[in-house]
Amino acid sequence: NHLVNLAIRTSQKKYNYNIGVDFEPQKSVSHSLLSDAPEDQLERSVMNFSPTVNFRYKFSKRTRLQIVYRGKGKQPNIRDLQPVTDRTNPLNIRVGNPSLKPSYMNTFTLNFNSYNTKYQRNMVATALFENTINNVTNQVTYSETGVRTTSPVNMNGNWRAMGSFSLNTPFKNRNWIFRTYSYLQYRNQNGYTTLNKEEPVKTSVQHLTGRERLRITYRTRQMELTGLVGLTYNNSYNDVREKRTETFDYQAGTELQLYLPWGMELYNDLTYFLRTGYGYEGYAKANFMWNCQLSKAFLKRKQLLIRFKIYDILHQDISMIRTITATAIRDTDYNALGSYFMVHAILRLNMMGH
């Protein structure tokens, strides 16, 4: 493979931009050797191109805006392209599709950040839009005997839009600091689903996610005390099954850091989690998470840090994750280590100037 890049760059006092494109010719050859059929050769030559536009504008020394567009092509993998029937599992057959087209992703991003030195206030805002043309998804059919056959096909209509905002600012009394983070995403996922082993039909899942985090910190020379609350909201709708799911994840907690004599630091964080809408019970629905650590710096310039940390003191850690796709909702429960401790030794070396 070869990669050719062409770009134009301009830099001015208030703004700068670059416009470029990558060209990448690609050739792949695949040979399929089957015992009861002649050798089948699949040869494919394509030209991948990835355009990029990057524009930056400087309102002031610490206030900037950046707008970025990126395009990215992706070729189907050889396994999906091979016109071969894989009968390794007789009840779950896979057939390649040599007619698959390359997928192409468009991504638009906007970033704004501003820092006020007088008030020590930092603000960041981000917006993103992304869509995929000729996305590869699986289509499943069932025979009269119940044999499942899976084949990859192209499908359009997958896209998402996202926005986030964060603010970090002290109050008039600089011992108090307020932080907030807001996040909103809407995603549309298309695919094929099979109901009652009938013919596959196109399905769309619209998924809305909202997230809010608030933190207030009180800081002195001897300690830092933080209170935090958070909410994550998920709403998804499947147009074929006409089913809507709605979940809420709440959290509230506190963090305490004490600066002790002899250069020692004690840190505690305790968080309460509550999940509704999942159908979970017990610790899966509500649990506490408490971690604690003690650290001390050594050597003349405090380059060596020794830290002792205990995780999940209350033995209530869980690892349950919900994944929503165009064809399914999956709840996955991972095994957690439970309560344990670790000892860290961190040595910082500064080689600059030597």
Side-chain angles (χ1 to χ4, degrees), residues 37-307:
E39 178 181 343
D40 185 22
Q41 176 175 314
L42 177 64
E43 183 173 328
R44 192 179 182 95
S45 298
V46 296
M47 174 67 75
N48 297 316
F49 71 99
S50 303
T52 301
V53 179
N54 193 333
F55 175 80
R56 301 180 184 90
Y57 187 84
K58 186 188 299 183
F59 295 94
S60 64
K61 189 175 181 179
R62 294 179 177 82
T63 301
R64 300 183 181 186
L65 173 69
Q66 181 182 30
I67 302 174
V68 180
Y69 164 75
R70 300 183 189 278
K72 182 69 174 178
K74 182 180 179 182
Q75 303 301 321
N77 63 56
I78 291 296
R79 181 170 181 261
D80 287 340
L81 287 170
Q82 287 178 326
V84 176
T85 302
D86 183 356
R87 301 181 184 273
T88 305
N89 183 348
L91 298 179
N92 192 358
I93 299 173
R94 184 175 182 86
V95 181
N97 181 3
S99 300
L100 281 178
K101 300 176 182 179
S103 60
Y104 193 85
M105 179 180 292
N106 298 290
T107 304
F108 300 86
T109 308
L110 184 149
N111 294 300
F112 175 82
N113 62 79
S114 177
Y115 180 71
N116 187 307
T117 55
K118 180 180 179 180
Y119 297 103
Q120 299 181 359
R121 179 181 300 134
N122 186 54
M123 180 174 59
V124 178
T126 301
L128 178 143
F129 177 80
E130 188 175 81
N131 79 315
T132 303
I133 301 171
N134 292 326
N135 185 59
V136 178
T137 187
N138 287 324
Q139 187 179 75
V140 179
T141 58
Y142 290 87
S143 69
E144 295 181 355
T145 58
V147 176
R148 172 177 170 171
T149 302
T150 303
S151 181
V153 295
N154 290 117
M155 173 166 282
N156 292 320
N158 289 342
W159 61 273
R160 71 183 181 110
M162 182 273 290
S164 66
F165 174 79
S166 65
L167 176 66
N168 186 338
T169 181
F171 290 97
K172 189 175 181 179
N173 182 344
R174 296 300 177 89
N175 290 343
W176 291 89
I177 300 174
F178 172 76
R179 299 182 180 93
T180 180
Y181 174 75
S182 305
Y183 175 91
L184 187 67
Q185 176 179 263
Y186 184 86
R187 185 172 72 242
N188 186 83
Q189 293 178 280
N190 290 341
Y192 285 97
T193 189
T194 304
L195 298 177
N196 302 321
K197 297 184 179 181
E198 298 177 353
E199 287 297 315
V201 295
K202 179 181 176 181
T203 179
S204 294
V205 172
Q206 293 82 41
H207 188 188
L208 175 67
T209 299
R211 187 176 298 122
E212 180 63 39
R213 299 284 186 270
L214 298 174
R215 297 170 62 95
I216 296 181
T217 300
Y218 177 70
R219 178 184 299 172
T220 67
R221 291 184 178 181
Q222 294 77 31
M223 59 164 282
E224 287 188 21
L225 178 62
T226 299
L228 59 95
V229 293
L231 168 65
T232 299
Y233 171 74
N234 283 285
N235 186 313
S236 64
Y237 177 74
N238 185 303
D239 64 344
V240 172
R241 300 180 184 273
E242 296 184 348
K243 182 178 181 180
R244 182 178 299 278
T245 61
E246 191 176 47
T247 61
F248 295 84
D249 292 67
Y250 305 92
Q251 70 177 89
T254 182
E255 299 173 0
L256 174 63
Q257 183 158 354
L258 298 176
Y259 302 99
L260 305 175
W262 307 294
M264 301 181 69
E265 295 182 9
L266 178 65
Y267 176 82
N268 276 273
D269 66 86
L270 177 64
T271 307
Y272 174 72
F273 297 93
L274 175 64
R275 306 164 187 85
T276 63
Y278 294 91
Y280 298 160
E281 298 295 338
Y283 287 158
K285 180 178 180 180
N287 70 296
F288 282 96
M289 189 67 181
W290 181 20
N291 305 309
C292 181
Q293 73 177 37
L294 181 66
S295 61
K296 178 176 172 55
F298 294 89
L299 302 182
K300 183 178 179 181
R301 297 181 180 179
K302 300 183 179 180
Q303 303 100 314
L304 177 62
L305 180 69
I306 303 297
R307 178 190 299 151

Side-chain angles (χ1 to χ4, degrees), residues 17-28:
Y17 65 85
N18 64 73
I19 302 173
V21 61
D22 291 342
F23 295 96
E24 184 181 12
Q26 187 178 34
K27 181 179 180 179
S28 59

Side-chain angles (χ1 to χ4, degrees), residues 6-19:
L6 300 175
I8 299 175
R9 295 181 175 88
T10 299
S11 181
Q12 301 292 334
K13 183 178 180 179
K14 282 285 189 179
Y15 67 90
N16 65 77
Y17 65 85
N18 64 73
I19 302 173

